[in-house]
Amino acid sequence: SSQAPAPPIAQPAMSPTRIALLALCTLALLSGGLSENASAGAADNSSAEEQEEVDVDTMVPLMQKQLTSMATALRTAAGSGDSPALALIRQLADSCTEALEKAAATDDMNEKYDYLEEAVSRRGEWIAALSQAQVTTEKRHHQEERKEEFQKAMHSDL
């Protein structure tokens, strides 16, 4: 008579390394040293004309620093980019770098600001993409673990 297989042992759906990488990427996107609230608050203290001048001259170096930090953290986390989630992280790093390169190619501070602001404003979109990649990765890992458990159970019966 055959025995019923033991119930599967609950295992994490995602390796700690992958969780750490996705968390690091999300943190990099959330923290970059510049908050939208801070830039909005700074803008409230002056007239609209002064705002634009002060914002551009003040914000360009801050956004450059933020995007450089984000690109470095994301590229480090992406490593070889050998999974869909890691490839996405690499693409996000490339987007940061592309904005920095475009800004560096012009002497016009307003153009620099526009390139950098476009990239910084995409953080929410990037966080959503990372969250979706995490969900997809967790599902894939869960399926792989179930398949491995099934194969182990099949081989243990032999």
Side-chain angles (χ1 to χ4, degrees):
S1 77
S2 66
Q3 294 179 342
I9 298 171
Q11 295 180 2
M14 192 171 184
S15 74
T17 302
R18 291 191 187 274
I19 290 171
L21 285 175
L22 289 172
L24 173 65
C25 292
T26 303
L27 179 62
L29 289 173
L30 288 173
S31 67
L34 171 72
S35 75
E36 292 171 20
N37 293 341
S39 63
D44 291 340
N45 294 332
S46 58
S47 71
E49 219 171 88
E50 291 172 7
Q51 243 181 44
E52 189 171 318
E53 192 62 36
V54 170
D55 282 349
V56 171
D57 292 340
T58 303
M59 297 305 289
V60 165
L62 293 174
M63 288 188 294
Q64 287 172 322
K65 181 179 178 181
Q66 178 184 23
L67 288 170
T68 299
S69 296
M70 288 168 51
T72 300
L74 291 167
R75 195 165 313 286
T76 300
S80 62
D82 61 352
S83 74
L86 296 177
L88 170 64
I89 293 168
R90 179 166 294 251
Q91 287 175 343
L92 300 180
D94 291 344
S95 294
C96 292
T97 301
E98 181 182 333
L100 289 164
E101 289 171 352
K102 285 180 180 178
T106 183
D107 291 329
D108 184 294
M109 287 297 278
N110 289 319
E111 282 184 52
K112 286 179 187 289
Y113 179 86
D114 290 342
Y115 289 130
L116 299 171
E117 176 59 29
E118 180 182 346
V120 169
S121 70
R122 294 182 62 205
R123 280 188 313 194
E125 173 188 329
W126 294 344
I127 291 169
L130 280 172
S131 295
Q132 182 58 47
Q134 180 175 354
V135 168
T136 302
T137 300
E138 287 175 357
K139 285 180 183 177
R140 189 179 78 240
H141 281 276
H142 182 67
Q143 289 171 344
E144 290 170 0
E145 288 171 357
R146 289 180 55 103
K147 184 178 178 180
E148 288 174 15
E149 289 170 6
F150 176 77
Q151 289 177 355
K152 286 178 186 177
M154 294 302 292
H155 289 296
S156 68
D157 284 346
L158 297 178

